[in-house]
Amino acid sequence: MPEHTAVWRLRLSGLCFLLQILNILLFAVFVRYSPQSSPGQCPPQLNCSRRNQDSSFQQPGFQDVHIQVLLSFGLLVAFLSRYGPGSAAISILIIAFTIQWAVLIQGFFYFFLNGKIYVGAQSMVSADFCTAAVLISAGAVLGRVNPVQMLLLSLLEVTLCTLNEYILLSLMGVSDSGRSLTVHTFGAYFGLMVSRVLYQPHKDKRKREERQDMRRQTDAFAVVGTIYLWIFWPSFTSATTVHDNAKDWAVLNTYCSLVASTVATFILSPVLYEESTPQMVQIQDATLAGMAVMGMAGEMLVTPFGALITGFLVGLISPLGLRFFTPVLHSRLKIQDTCGVHNIHGLPGILGALLGTLLALMATADTYGDRLELVFPLVAQGSRTVTDQALIQLSALPLTLLLAALGGCLTG
């Protein structure tokens, strides 16, 4: 066993060395500072219309998004008592590698001109979003893959996640500023399919015992992670809104959704479980679900009332899924979902996509005013009807599920 551990330790060290050297060489050959950082100097060939140009980018916004990815997601994957501290450390390794790799892969899709990738603050924000999808997938396979395998998962998922995002946002014109589909749904079902391929029934009993052990450690991680979610997630949701004046909608809708989903957990948890008050992990899950469901619709005209209703419903669906659907995933579909990403990212992401489709049907110049051109530019220009836009929003869901499933199977 010590020899086996030493081999894996050396493999991790060697793989990290090779991947870092590869990134350094690729950055040296392709990556340059973006001219978008200087207003008026952006060549027309570059995708300068992409959300949140660097010229209007605020540094505190980037810090909020990066802290959200680094701390909140990093703490949320520290779930199993046996792997908790180690998984938090590995999550930082995943973040450090994935951000570099995502800057490169997304650069070839979005910021490539004359043989160079022009990167700026927006490149880092986009890379953080892609990193969040990888961390969500890691939550589904936590405790069953080693760090070497996790790096390989990151290597493949970043490529497929970027492809999915490019097809949806650039080619199809889908509005998904808070990434219900491209982060939450894709990351969840990619990880679940990897978990299905790696199914190991003989380890399931041990994992259940580990989840019941060291409750204080799990709750401590959940408390800190939930606090960071409340503070920084609205910035995460609004970081890629179409314009500064659309951020208030995204922030308000996100807050309304998360408060309602949290209250819903206190309503349903005592009914489903013996505890009079929910465990902190359950509150954390409700917070994540309430925010994930508002990803696509955040910048749309949900209204505070609609956001409260949406958050309340997803706050009921998430614990019901954990109580009743997760055992079915394991017993019938042979999927071991370690951190419950299906209930806190997958289902809310799907519901968020359906909500975005419904709101696209209601998008008119009377209701949106000048913001219609920002949220649905093709509809405002008359090249699409609201029905066409809604159908495109809806068709993005099965396409994302298909790419996530196929990519997860291949990676697994």
Side-chain angles (χ1 to χ4, degrees), residues 64-112:
D64 288 352
V65 173
H66 196 64
I67 290 173
Q68 175 68 43
V69 171
L70 183 63
L71 288 178
S72 297
F73 277 104
L75 289 169
L76 295 179
V77 299
F79 186 81
L80 299 178
S81 62
R82 181 174 179 179
Y83 302 99
S87 63
I90 294 303
S91 71
I92 296 178
L93 171 62
I94 294 172
I95 293 167
F97 166 72
T98 302
I99 286 177
Q100 299 176 70
W101 188 242
V103 166
L104 288 167
I105 299 300
Q106 293 183 336
F108 285 114
F109 281 92
Y110 293 112
F111 309 110
F112 193 70

mmCIF file of all heavy atoms in Angstrom, residues 64-112:
data_model
loop_
_atom_site.group_PDB
_atom_site.id
_atom_site.type_symbol
_atom_site.label_atom_id
_atom_site.label_comp_id
_atom_site.label_asym_id
_atom_site.label_seq_id
_atom_site.Cartn_x
_atom_site.Cartn_y
_atom_site.Cartn_z
ATOM 1 N N ASP A 64 -15.236 39.302 -6.751
ATOM 2 C CA ASP A 64 -16.387 38.585 -6.206
ATOM 3 C C ASP A 64 -16.552 37.222 -6.879
ATOM 4 O O ASP A 64 -16.795 36.210 -6.214
ATOM 5 C CB ASP A 64 -17.662 39.409 -6.386
ATOM 6 C CG ASP A 64 -17.707 40.616 -5.462
ATOM 7 O OD1 ASP A 64 -16.818 40.718 -4.590
ATOM 8 O OD2 ASP A 64 -18.602 41.457 -5.614
ATOM 9 N N VAL A 65 -16.446 37.206 -8.205
ATOM 10 C CA VAL A 65 -16.606 35.947 -8.929
ATOM 11 C C VAL A 65 -15.501 34.973 -8.552
ATOM 12 O O VAL A 65 -15.744 33.785 -8.317
ATOM 13 C CB VAL A 65 -16.605 36.209 -10.451
ATOM 14 C CG1 VAL A 65 -16.602 34.891 -11.221
ATOM 15 C CG2 VAL A 65 -17.809 37.041 -10.845
ATOM 16 N N HIS A 66 -14.273 35.464 -8.470
ATOM 17 C CA HIS A 66 -13.145 34.575 -8.175
ATOM 18 C C HIS A 66 -13.225 34.051 -6.740
ATOM 19 O O HIS A 66 -12.932 32.879 -6.491
ATOM 20 C CB HIS A 66 -11.834 35.324 -8.399
ATOM 21 C CG HIS A 66 -10.657 34.415 -8.500
ATOM 22 N ND1 HIS A 66 -10.509 33.497 -9.525
ATOM 23 C CD2 HIS A 66 -9.573 34.247 -7.710
ATOM 24 C CE1 HIS A 66 -9.394 32.818 -9.363
ATOM 25 N NE2 HIS A 66 -8.798 33.253 -8.265
ATOM 26 N N ILE A 67 -13.606 34.903 -5.800
ATOM 27 C CA ILE A 67 -13.773 34.445 -4.419
ATOM 28 C C ILE A 67 -14.887 33.414 -4.339
ATOM 29 O O ILE A 67 -14.782 32.410 -3.623
ATOM 30 C CB ILE A 67 -14.076 35.635 -3.488
ATOM 31 C CG1 ILE A 67 -12.816 36.510 -3.344
ATOM 32 C CG2 ILE A 67 -14.534 35.164 -2.112
ATOM 33 C CD1 ILE A 67 -13.059 37.795 -2.591
ATOM 34 N N GLN A 68 -15.947 33.639 -5.110
ATOM 35 C CA GLN A 68 -17.052 32.688 -5.131
ATOM 36 C C GLN A 68 -16.575 31.316 -5.572
ATOM 37 O O GLN A 68 -16.903 30.295 -4.963
ATOM 38 C CB GLN A 68 -18.145 33.198 -6.068
ATOM 39 C CG GLN A 68 -19.297 32.234 -6.275
ATOM 40 C CD GLN A 68 -20.102 32.063 -5.023
ATOM 41 O OE1 GLN A 68 -20.386 33.026 -4.334
ATOM 42 N NE2 GLN A 68 -20.466 30.837 -4.714
ATOM 43 N N VAL A 69 -15.799 31.267 -6.633
ATOM 44 C CA VAL A 69 -15.306 29.986 -7.147
ATOM 45 C C VAL A 69 -14.300 29.366 -6.182
ATOM 46 O O VAL A 69 -14.377 28.179 -5.856
ATOM 47 C CB VAL A 69 -14.674 30.188 -8.536
ATOM 48 C CG1 VAL A 69 -13.962 28.918 -8.993
ATOM 49 C CG2 VAL A 69 -15.734 30.580 -9.549
ATOM 50 N N LEU A 70 -13.368 30.186 -5.696
ATOM 51 C CA LEU A 70 -12.272 29.658 -4.882
ATOM 52 C C LEU A 70 -12.737 29.188 -3.513
ATOM 53 O O LEU A 70 -12.410 28.079 -3.071
ATOM 54 C CB LEU A 70 -11.198 30.725 -4.729
ATOM 55 C CG LEU A 70 -9.928 30.311 -3.962
ATOM 56 C CD1 LEU A 70 -9.207 29.207 -4.702
ATOM 57 C CD2 LEU A 70 -9.015 31.506 -3.757
ATOM 58 N N LEU A 71 -13.522 30.011 -2.825
ATOM 59 C CA LEU A 71 -13.908 29.697 -1.457
ATOM 60 C C LEU A 71 -15.213 28.913 -1.381
ATOM 61 O O LEU A 71 -15.281 27.854 -0.771
ATOM 62 C CB LEU A 71 -14.015 30.986 -0.639
ATOM 63 C CG LEU A 71 -12.681 31.662 -0.305
ATOM 64 C CD1 LEU A 71 -12.918 32.956 0.455
ATOM 65 C CD2 LEU A 71 -11.798 30.743 0.517
ATOM 66 N N SER A 72 -16.265 29.442 -2.007
ATOM 67 C CA SER A 72 -17.571 28.794 -1.855
ATOM 68 C C SER A 72 -17.564 27.386 -2.428
ATOM 69 O O SER A 72 -17.874 26.418 -1.746
ATOM 70 C CB SER A 72 -18.653 29.642 -2.521
ATOM 71 O OG SER A 72 -18.748 30.900 -1.886
ATOM 72 N N PHE A 73 -17.176 27.244 -3.703
ATOM 73 C CA PHE A 73 -17.154 25.913 -4.301
ATOM 74 C C PHE A 73 -16.089 25.046 -3.652
ATOM 75 O O PHE A 73 -16.286 23.840 -3.480
ATOM 76 C CB PHE A 73 -16.916 26.019 -5.811
ATOM 77 C CG PHE A 73 -18.163 26.305 -6.592
ATOM 78 C CD1 PHE A 73 -18.402 27.568 -7.091
ATOM 79 C CD2 PHE A 73 -19.088 25.319 -6.822
ATOM 80 C CE1 PHE A 73 -19.541 27.846 -7.809
ATOM 81 C CE2 PHE A 73 -20.243 25.575 -7.539
ATOM 82 C CZ PHE A 73 -20.471 26.847 -8.035
ATOM 83 N N GLY A 74 -14.960 25.634 -3.299
ATOM 84 C CA GLY A 74 -13.918 24.854 -2.645
ATOM 85 C C GLY A 74 -14.376 24.271 -1.327
ATOM 86 O O GLY A 74 -14.072 23.124 -0.992
ATOM 87 N N LEU A 75 -15.133 25.045 -0.559
ATOM 88 C CA LEU A 75 -15.639 24.553 0.720
ATOM 89 C C LEU A 75 -16.782 23.563 0.528
ATOM 90 O O LEU A 75 -16.946 22.632 1.314
ATOM 91 C CB LEU A 75 -16.108 25.733 1.575
ATOM 92 C CG LEU A 75 -14.996 26.638 2.123
ATOM 93 C CD1 LEU A 75 -15.600 27.905 2.707
ATOM 94 C CD2 LEU A 75 -14.169 25.919 3.171
ATOM 95 N N LEU A 76 -17.564 23.756 -0.529
ATOM 96 C CA LEU A 76 -18.720 22.897 -0.723
ATOM 97 C C LEU A 76 -18.334 21.469 -1.099
ATOM 98 O O LEU A 76 -19.100 20.537 -0.859
ATOM 99 C CB LEU A 76 -19.632 23.486 -1.804
ATOM 100 C CG LEU A 76 -20.275 24.832 -1.460
ATOM 101 C CD1 LEU A 76 -21.130 25.324 -2.614
ATOM 102 C CD2 LEU A 76 -21.092 24.757 -0.194
ATOM 103 N N VAL A 77 -17.153 21.291 -1.714
ATOM 104 C CA VAL A 77 -16.750 19.930 -2.058
ATOM 105 C C VAL A 77 -16.065 19.226 -0.898
ATOM 106 O O VAL A 77 -15.777 18.033 -0.987
ATOM 107 C CB VAL A 77 -15.816 19.910 -3.288
ATOM 108 C CG1 VAL A 77 -16.498 20.480 -4.497
ATOM 109 C CG2 VAL A 77 -14.519 20.641 -3.000
ATOM 110 N N ALA A 78 -15.799 19.938 0.187
ATOM 111 C CA ALA A 78 -15.193 19.319 1.372
ATOM 112 C C ALA A 78 -16.291 18.618 2.168
ATOM 113 O O ALA A 78 -16.727 19.072 3.210
ATOM 114 C CB ALA A 78 -14.491 20.369 2.224
ATOM 115 N N PHE A 79 -16.738 17.478 1.673
ATOM 116 C CA PHE A 79 -17.980 16.867 2.147
ATOM 117 C C PHE A 79 -17.740 15.617 2.981
ATOM 118 O O PHE A 79 -18.269 15.477 4.078
ATOM 119 C CB PHE A 79 -18.848 16.529 0.923
ATOM 120 C CG PHE A 79 -20.221 16.023 1.262
ATOM 121 C CD1 PHE A 79 -21.233 16.894 1.589
ATOM 122 C CD2 PHE A 79 -20.493 14.672 1.245
ATOM 123 C CE1 PHE A 79 -22.500 16.437 1.889
ATOM 124 C CE2 PHE A 79 -21.755 14.199 1.547
ATOM 125 C CZ PHE A 79 -22.758 15.085 1.867
ATOM 126 N N LEU A 80 -16.943 14.695 2.476
ATOM 127 C CA LEU A 80 -16.701 13.451 3.190
ATOM 128 C C LEU A 80 -15.649 13.649 4.273
ATOM 129 O O LEU A 80 -14.650 14.328 4.075
ATOM 130 C CB LEU A 80 -16.218 12.366 2.220
ATOM 131 C CG LEU A 80 -17.189 11.988 1.097
ATOM 132 C CD1 LEU A 80 -16.551 10.949 0.209
ATOM 133 C CD2 LEU A 80 -18.499 11.496 1.656
ATOM 134 N N SER A 81 -15.877 13.040 5.431
ATOM 135 C CA SER A 81 -14.939 13.227 6.540
ATOM 136 C C SER A 81 -13.552 12.679 6.206
ATOM 137 O O SER A 81 -12.543 13.251 6.578
ATOM 138 C CB SER A 81 -15.472 12.521 7.797
ATOM 139 O OG SER A 81 -15.589 11.123 7.584
ATOM 140 N N ARG A 82 -13.517 11.576 5.481
ATOM 141 C CA ARG A 82 -12.227 10.976 5.150
ATOM 142 C C ARG A 82 -11.467 11.797 4.112
ATOM 143 O O ARG A 82 -10.247 11.848 4.102
ATOM 144 C CB ARG A 82 -12.441 9.553 4.633
ATOM 145 C CG ARG A 82 -11.130 8.838 4.289
ATOM 146 C CD ARG A 82 -11.395 7.395 3.918
ATOM 147 N NE ARG A 82 -10.163 6.707 3.559
ATOM 148 C CZ ARG A 82 -10.104 5.433 3.214
ATOM 149 N NH1 ARG A 82 -11.215 4.718 3.207
ATOM 150 N NH2 ARG A 82 -8.965 4.877 2.890
ATOM 151 N N TYR A 83 -12.214 12.466 3.218
ATOM 152 C CA TYR A 83 -11.583 13.195 2.125
ATOM 153 C C TYR A 83 -11.737 14.705 2.246
ATOM 154 O O TYR A 83 -11.282 15.435 1.363
ATOM 155 C CB TYR A 83 -12.189 12.754 0.782
ATOM 156 C CG TYR A 83 -12.052 11.279 0.515
ATOM 157 C CD1 TYR A 83 -13.115 10.416 0.752
ATOM 158 C CD2 TYR A 83 -10.867 10.743 0.043
ATOM 159 C CE1 TYR A 83 -12.999 9.057 0.509
ATOM 160 C CE2 TYR A 83 -10.740 9.384 -0.200
ATOM 161 C CZ TYR A 83 -11.806 8.550 0.038
ATOM 162 O OH TYR A 83 -11.690 7.209 -0.195
ATOM 163 N N GLY A 84 -12.400 15.199 3.310
ATOM 164 C CA GLY A 84 -12.741 16.613 3.418
ATOM 165 C C GLY A 84 -11.583 17.571 3.216
ATOM 166 O O GLY A 84 -11.541 18.322 2.241
ATOM 167 N N PRO A 85 -10.577 17.579 4.116
ATOM 168 C CA PRO A 85 -9.449 18.502 3.933
ATOM 169 C C PRO A 85 -8.704 18.256 2.624
ATOM 170 O O PRO A 85 -8.299 19.195 1.940
ATOM 171 C CB PRO A 85 -8.560 18.203 5.148
ATOM 172 C CG PRO A 85 -9.480 17.607 6.164
ATOM 173 C CD PRO A 85 -10.478 16.813 5.381
ATOM 174 N N GLY A 86 -8.527 16.990 2.258
ATOM 175 C CA GLY A 86 -7.843 16.692 1.010
ATOM 176 C C GLY A 86 -8.611 17.176 -0.198
ATOM 177 O O GLY A 86 -8.020 17.696 -1.155
ATOM 178 N N SER A 87 -9.937 17.025 -0.186
ATOM 179 C CA SER A 87 -10.738 17.468 -1.325
ATOM 180 C C SER A 87 -10.713 18.978 -1.459
ATOM 181 O O SER A 87 -10.753 19.514 -2.571
ATOM 182 C CB SER A 87 -12.181 16.969 -1.186
ATOM 183 O OG SER A 87 -12.797 17.514 -0.034
ATOM 184 N N ALA A 88 -10.651 19.695 -0.331
ATOM 185 C CA ALA A 88 -10.532 21.150 -0.399
ATOM 186 C C ALA A 88 -9.208 21.541 -1.043
ATOM 187 O O ALA A 88 -9.145 22.477 -1.849
ATOM 188 C CB ALA A 88 -10.644 21.749 1.005
ATOM 189 N N ALA A 89 -8.154 20.827 -0.713
ATOM 190 C CA ALA A 89 -6.847 21.108 -1.326
ATOM 191 C C ALA A 89 -6.861 20.775 -2.806
ATOM 192 O O ALA A 89 -6.348 21.546 -3.637
ATOM 193 C CB ALA A 89 -5.761 20.323 -0.605
ATOM 194 N N ILE A 90 -7.455 19.629 -3.165
ATOM 195 C CA ILE A 90 -7.507 19.234 -4.567
ATOM 196 C C ILE A 90 -8.370 20.211 -5.357
ATOM 197 O O ILE A 90 -8.098 20.495 -6.532
ATOM 198 C CB ILE A 90 -8.045 17.803 -4.705
ATOM 199 C CG1 ILE A 90 -7.048 16.814 -4.090
ATOM 200 C CG2 ILE A 90 -8.283 17.451 -6.167
ATOM 201 C CD1 ILE A 90 -5.656 16.886 -4.680
ATOM 202 N N SER A 91 -9.422 20.758 -4.735
ATOM 203 C CA SER A 91 -10.260 21.734 -5.445
ATOM 204 C C SER A 91 -9.449 22.970 -5.825
ATOM 205 O O SER A 91 -9.666 23.553 -6.894
ATOM 206 C CB SER A 91 -11.466 22.128 -4.590
ATOM 207 O OG SER A 91 -11.074 22.933 -3.490
ATOM 208 N N ILE A 92 -8.505 23.368 -4.983
ATOM 209 C CA ILE A 92 -7.644 24.505 -5.315
ATOM 210 C C ILE A 92 -6.725 24.144 -6.480
ATOM 211 O O ILE A 92 -6.473 24.970 -7.370
ATOM 212 C CB ILE A 92 -6.846 24.943 -4.078
ATOM 213 C CG1 ILE A 92 -7.796 25.455 -2.990
ATOM 214 C CG2 ILE A 92 -5.825 26.029 -4.444
ATOM 215 C CD1 ILE A 92 -7.112 25.861 -1.708
ATOM 216 N N LEU A 93 -6.221 22.906 -6.495
ATOM 217 C CA LEU A 93 -5.423 22.458 -7.634
ATOM 218 C C LEU A 93 -6.257 22.489 -8.913
ATOM 219 O O LEU A 93 -5.780 22.950 -9.970
ATOM 220 C CB LEU A 93 -4.899 21.043 -7.375
ATOM 221 C CG LEU A 93 -4.225 20.351 -8.569
ATOM 222 C CD1 LEU A 93 -2.988 21.121 -9.011
ATOM 223 C CD2 LEU A 93 -3.877 18.904 -8.223
ATOM 224 N N ILE A 94 -7.502 22.021 -8.837
ATOM 225 C CA ILE A 94 -8.384 22.031 -10.005
ATOM 226 C C ILE A 94 -8.595 23.459 -10.498
ATOM 227 O O ILE A 94 -8.528 23.739 -11.699
ATOM 228 C CB ILE A 94 -9.739 21.377 -9.660
ATOM 229 C CG1 ILE A 94 -9.542 19.888 -9.366
ATOM 230 C CG2 ILE A 94 -10.736 21.562 -10.796
ATOM 231 C CD1 ILE A 94 -10.776 19.215 -8.824
ATOM 232 N N ILE A 95 -8.841 24.372 -9.553
ATOM 233 C CA ILE A 95 -9.054 25.771 -9.924
ATOM 234 C C ILE A 95 -7.814 26.344 -10.606
ATOM 235 O O ILE A 95 -7.899 26.997 -11.650
ATOM 236 C CB ILE A 95 -9.433 26.597 -8.681
ATOM 237 C CG1 ILE A 95 -10.813 26.173 -8.158
ATOM 238 C CG2 ILE A 95 -9.435 28.098 -8.995
ATOM 239 C CD1 ILE A 95 -11.132 26.711 -6.784
ATOM 240 N N ALA A 96 -6.641 26.084 -10.015
ATOM 241 C CA ALA A 96 -5.396 26.645 -10.546
ATOM 242 C C ALA A 96 -5.121 26.154 -11.962
ATOM 243 O O ALA A 96 -4.682 26.928 -12.828
ATOM 244 C CB ALA A 96 -4.233 26.292 -9.625
ATOM 245 N N PHE A 97 -5.363 24.872 -12.211
ATOM 246 C CA PHE A 97 -5.130 24.346 -13.556
ATOM 247 C C PHE A 97 -6.238 24.748 -14.521
ATOM 248 O O PHE A 97 -5.968 25.173 -15.657
ATOM 249 C CB PHE A 97 -5.004 22.819 -13.522
ATOM 250 C CG PHE A 97 -5.090 22.192 -14.887
ATOM 251 C CD1 PHE A 97 -4.036 22.324 -15.778
ATOM 252 C CD2 PHE A 97 -6.228 21.505 -15.275
ATOM 253 C CE1 PHE A 97 -4.116 21.767 -17.052
ATOM 254 C CE2 PHE A 97 -6.313 20.944 -16.546
ATOM 255 C CZ PHE A 97 -5.258 21.077 -17.438
ATOM 256 N N THR A 98 -7.490 24.628 -14.085
ATOM 257 C CA THR A 98 -8.619 24.841 -14.983
ATOM 258 C C THR A 98 -8.682 26.271 -15.489
ATOM 259 O O THR A 98 -9.028 26.508 -16.652
ATOM 260 C CB THR A 98 -9.931 24.466 -14.274
ATOM 261 O OG1 THR A 98 -9.872 23.111 -13.837
ATOM 262 C CG2 THR A 98 -11.116 24.622 -15.212
ATOM 263 N N ILE A 99 -8.364 27.244 -14.644
ATOM 264 C CA ILE A 99 -8.391 28.634 -15.093
ATOM 265 C C ILE A 99 -7.411 28.842 -16.247
ATOM 266 O O ILE A 99 -7.740 29.481 -17.259
ATOM 267 C CB ILE A 99 -8.073 29.583 -13.920
ATOM 268 C CG1 ILE A 99 -9.278 29.660 -12.975
ATOM 269 C CG2 ILE A 99 -7.709 30.983 -14.416
ATOM 270 C CD1 ILE A 99 -9.052 30.515 -11.758
ATOM 271 N N GLN A 100 -6.207 28.298 -16.129
ATOM 272 C CA GLN A 100 -5.236 28.424 -17.216
ATOM 273 C C GLN A 100 -5.735 27.747 -18.488
ATOM 274 O O GLN A 100 -5.675 28.316 -19.583
ATOM 275 C CB GLN A 100 -3.904 27.803 -16.798
ATOM 276 C CG GLN A 100 -3.249 28.450 -15.598
ATOM 277 C CD GLN A 100 -1.979 27.710 -15.207
ATOM 278 O OE1 GLN A 100 -0.968 27.749 -15.904
ATOM 279 N NE2 GLN A 100 -2.032 27.007 -14.072
ATOM 280 N N TRP A 101 -6.217 26.524 -18.344
ATOM 281 C CA TRP A 101 -6.657 25.760 -19.506
ATOM 282 C C TRP A 101 -7.891 26.396 -20.150
ATOM 283 O O TRP A 101 -8.010 26.434 -21.375
ATOM 284 C CB TRP A 101 -6.931 24.322 -19.085
ATOM 285 C CG TRP A 101 -7.205 23.373 -20.205
ATOM 286 C CD1 TRP A 101 -8.348 22.671 -20.431
ATOM 287 C CD2 TRP A 101 -6.301 22.999 -21.259
ATOM 288 N NE1 TRP A 101 -8.234 21.897 -21.542
ATOM 289 C CE2 TRP A 101 -6.977 22.073 -22.069
ATOM 290 C CE3 TRP A 101 -5.003 23.374 -21.576
ATOM 291 C CZ2 TRP A 101 -6.398 21.511 -23.200
ATOM 292 C CZ3 TRP A 101 -4.415 22.815 -22.703
ATOM 293 C CH2 TRP A 101 -5.113 21.890 -23.504
ATOM 294 N N ALA A 102 -8.798 26.914 -19.319
ATOM 295 C CA ALA A 102 -10.005 27.548 -19.847
ATOM 296 C C ALA A 102 -9.684 28.837 -20.592
ATOM 297 O O ALA A 102 -10.311 29.148 -21.607
ATOM 298 C CB ALA A 102 -10.996 27.834 -18.708
ATOM 299 N N VAL A 103 -8.720 29.607 -20.101
ATOM 300 C CA VAL A 103 -8.308 30.818 -20.812
ATOM 301 C C VAL A 103 -7.834 30.466 -22.222
ATOM 302 O O VAL A 103 -8.155 31.157 -23.201
ATOM 303 C CB VAL A 103 -7.202 31.561 -20.024
ATOM 304 C CG1 VAL A 103 -6.533 32.620 -20.899
ATOM 305 C CG2 VAL A 103 -7.781 32.216 -18.787
ATOM 306 N N LEU A 104 -7.099 29.374 -22.344
ATOM 307 C CA LEU A 104 -6.614 28.947 -23.651
ATOM 308 C C LEU A 104 -7.748 28.441 -24.541
ATOM 309 O O LEU A 104 -7.908 28.898 -25.686
ATOM 310 C CB LEU A 104 -5.558 27.858 -23.479
ATOM 311 C CG LEU A 104 -4.201 28.304 -22.933
ATOM 312 C CD1 LEU A 104 -3.380 27.095 -22.513
ATOM 313 C CD2 LEU A 104 -3.452 29.117 -23.984
ATOM 314 N N ILE A 105 -8.530 27.501 -24.034
ATOM 315 C CA ILE A 105 -9.577 26.892 -24.861
ATOM 316 C C ILE A 105 -10.629 27.927 -25.245
ATOM 317 O O ILE A 105 -11.038 28.019 -26.415
ATOM 318 C CB ILE A 105 -10.224 25.703 -24.118
ATOM 319 C CG1 ILE A 105 -9.182 24.619 -23.831
ATOM 320 C CG2 ILE A 105 -11.367 25.129 -24.950
ATOM 321 C CD1 ILE A 105 -8.527 24.055 -25.073
ATOM 322 N N GLN A 106 -11.102 28.719 -24.271
ATOM 323 C CA GLN A 106 -12.084 29.744 -24.601
ATOM 324 C C GLN A 106 -11.487 30.821 -25.499
ATOM 325 O O GLN A 106 -12.197 31.418 -26.307
ATOM 326 C CB GLN A 106 -12.628 30.366 -23.314
ATOM 327 C CG GLN A 106 -13.459 29.401 -22.491
ATOM 328 C CD GLN A 106 -14.044 30.054 -21.251
ATOM 329 O OE1 GLN A 106 -13.526 31.049 -20.750
ATOM 330 N NE2 GLN A 106 -15.131 29.492 -20.759
ATOM 331 N N GLY A 107 -10.186 31.061 -25.353
ATOM 332 C CA GLY A 107 -9.547 32.041 -26.218
ATOM 333 C C GLY A 107 -9.610 31.656 -27.679
ATOM 334 O O GLY A 107 -9.806 32.510 -28.559
ATOM 335 N N PHE A 108 -9.451 30.363 -27.982
ATOM 336 C CA PHE A 108 -9.535 29.920 -29.374
ATOM 337 C C PHE A 108 -10.934 30.112 -29.941
ATOM 338 O O PHE A 108 -11.102 30.299 -31.144
ATOM 339 C CB PHE A 108 -9.113 28.451 -29.475
ATOM 340 C CG PHE A 108 -7.642 28.234 -29.350
ATOM 341 C CD1 PHE A 108 -7.114 27.546 -28.265
ATOM 342 C CD2 PHE A 108 -6.765 28.733 -30.300
ATOM 343 C CE1 PHE A 108 -5.743 27.344 -28.146
ATOM 344 C CE2 PHE A 108 -5.391 28.534 -30.189
ATOM 345 C CZ PHE A 108 -4.882 27.845 -29.107
ATOM 346 N N PHE A 109 -11.955 30.061 -29.090
ATOM 347 C CA PHE A 109 -13.325 30.236 -29.550
ATOM 348 C C PHE A 109 -13.729 31.707 -29.649
ATOM 349 O O PHE A 109 -14.434 32.100 -30.574
ATOM 350 C CB PHE A 109 -14.292 29.508 -28.603
ATOM 351 C CG PHE A 109 -14.376 28.024 -28.830
ATOM 352 C CD1 PHE A 109 -13.565 27.155 -28.127
ATOM 353 C CD2 PHE A 109 -15.260 27.493 -29.759
ATOM 354 C CE1 PHE A 109 -13.638 25.784 -28.327
ATOM 355 C CE2 PHE A 109 -15.335 26.132 -29.973
ATOM 356 C CZ PHE A 109 -14.524 25.274 -29.254
ATOM 357 N N TYR A 110 -13.304 32.517 -28.663
ATOM 358 C CA TYR A 110 -13.851 33.866 -28.539
ATOM 359 C C TYR A 110 -12.855 34.989 -28.834
ATOM 360 O O TYR A 110 -13.246 36.052 -29.310
ATOM 361 C CB TYR A 110 -14.384 34.076 -27.114
ATOM 362 C CG TYR A 110 -15.580 33.246 -26.762
ATOM 363 C CD1 TYR A 110 -15.478 32.230 -25.812
ATOM 364 C CD2 TYR A 110 -16.814 33.451 -27.361
ATOM 365 C CE1 TYR A 110 -16.572 31.455 -25.470
ATOM 366 C CE2 TYR A 110 -17.910 32.680 -27.033
ATOM 367 C CZ TYR A 110 -17.783 31.684 -26.088
ATOM 368 O OH TYR A 110 -18.868 30.917 -25.752
ATOM 369 N N PHE A 111 -11.602 34.812 -28.515
ATOM 370 C CA PHE A 111 -10.669 35.938 -28.520
ATOM 371 C C PHE A 111 -9.455 35.672 -29.420
ATOM 372 O O PHE A 111 -8.365 36.140 -29.143
ATOM 373 C CB PHE A 111 -10.180 36.231 -27.083
ATOM 374 C CG PHE A 111 -11.296 36.382 -26.097
ATOM 375 C CD1 PHE A 111 -11.501 35.414 -25.114
ATOM 376 C CD2 PHE A 111 -12.139 37.469 -26.138
ATOM 377 C CE1 PHE A 111 -12.531 35.545 -24.192
ATOM 378 C CE2 PHE A 111 -13.170 37.606 -25.227
ATOM 379 C CZ PHE A 111 -13.369 36.647 -24.256
ATOM 380 N N PHE A 112 -9.648 34.910 -30.490
ATOM 381 C CA PHE A 112 -8.547 34.505 -31.362
ATOM 382 C C PHE A 112 -8.503 35.405 -32.591
ATOM 383 O O PHE A 112 -9.509 35.587 -33.282
ATOM 384 C CB PHE A 112 -8.725 33.045 -31.777
ATOM 385 C CG PHE A 112 -7.510 32.443 -32.406
ATOM 386 C CD1 PHE A 112 -6.377 32.188 -31.651
ATOM 387 C CD2 PHE A 112 -7.488 32.130 -33.760
ATOM 388 C CE1 PHE A 112 -5.248 31.619 -32.220
ATOM 389 C CE2 PHE A 112 -6.358 31.563 -34.337
ATOM 390 C CZ PHE A 112 -5.239 31.311 -33.561
#
